Amino acid sequence: MNARSGKWVSSMLALGVGVALCLMWRRQDILQLIVYLIGGLFALTGFINFLVSTHRRRNNTAGTGATFAGTTSGIGGMCIGAAMLLIPSFFVGIIVYALAVILIIAGLWHVYVLGYGFAPLKFPGWFYIFPVLVIVEGVVILCAGSVRASADVVVLMTGIGIVVYAVVSIMELVTAGIKGRKAITSEQSLIEEGELI
């Protein structure tokens, strides 16, 4: 599995989890269900990151720092996911804080990806609005006691944040694909013109 297909799979998984949270936010057992959903998401995306970084290491398509970070985050994601699936009762008490932290980390990760992850491609400035909104949403959940006290509101906010995260990921992949094709086409045109001259 290459990096691009890994990002597509991760984005679609996140979109599914976000939509599920938005649809089921009023259920009585929603917090335990969230623990299972997020645990599964962590385990799957960790496994995908691990496979992608292993593939990159074998093919020497990324530097040692990038492969080390990918391998470490993959193993960490799998471990956290396994723990959430095996002992969900421990995580139910802290899930509200975990959801807020997940949103903040997801937003920060997107800011990094937009700035450096698709180099040398540059994204328009408005792309940064969405990850910043996800970060703000996470901070509001962490800091506003009245919001934290209402688990169903936190679940709905988290679902919306994860959907935004997934949609922005898909937009990044589509934009990177379009810009990459344009760059290849213009490079081929320059080569053909050079050959004609």
Side-chain angles (χ1 to χ4, degrees), residues 18-95:
V19 169
L21 292 178
C22 288
L23 293 175
M24 300 186 298
W25 65 287
R26 289 232 180 243
R27 285 180 55 137
Q28 293 296 319
D29 62 341
I30 190 64
L31 291 180
Q32 186 161 0
L33 187 61
I34 288 171
V35 170
Y36 284 125
L37 285 171
I38 292 175
L41 183 65
F42 264 107
L44 284 171
T45 55
F47 184 66
I48 290 167
N49 282 342
F50 181 75
L51 287 179
V52 168
S53 62
T54 302
H55 178 75
R56 284 180 166 179
R57 187 173 55 246
R58 285 185 188 151
N59 296 334
N60 292 327
T61 57
T64 17
T67 53
F68 175 76
T71 303
T72 305
S73 67
I75 292 170
M78 287 188 290
C79 291
I80 292 170
M84 292 178 86
L85 292 171
L86 295 173
I87 47 171
S89 56
F90 172 78
F91 290 93
V92 167
I94 59 169
I95 194 65

Side-chain angles (χ1 to χ4, degrees), residues 1-15 41 44-53 55-56 109 118 165-166 169-170 172-173:
M1 177 179 291
N2 63 25
R4 188 170 175 81
S5 59
K7 287 177 184 175
W8 273 105
V9 171
S10 296
S11 299
M12 297 312 287
L13 286 170
L15 183 61
L41 183 65
L44 284 171
T45 55
F47 184 66
I48 290 167
N49 282 342
F50 181 75
L51 287 179
V52 168
S53 62
H55 178 75
R56 284 180 166 179
W109 174 251
F118 285 97
Y165 171 88
S169 292
I170 292 167
E172 290 167 3
L173 289 166

Side-chain angles (χ1 to χ4, degrees), residues 156-168:
L156 181 61
M157 288 176 69
T158 303
I160 293 168
I162 292 174
V163 168
V164 169
Y165 171 88
V167 169
V168 171

Side-chain angles (χ1 to χ4, degrees), residues 34 55 70 87 98 107 114 122-123 136 170 180 194 197:
I34 288 171
H55 178 75
I87 47 171
L114 287 169
K122 297 292 180 198
F123 288 89
V136 168
I170 292 167
I197 293 174

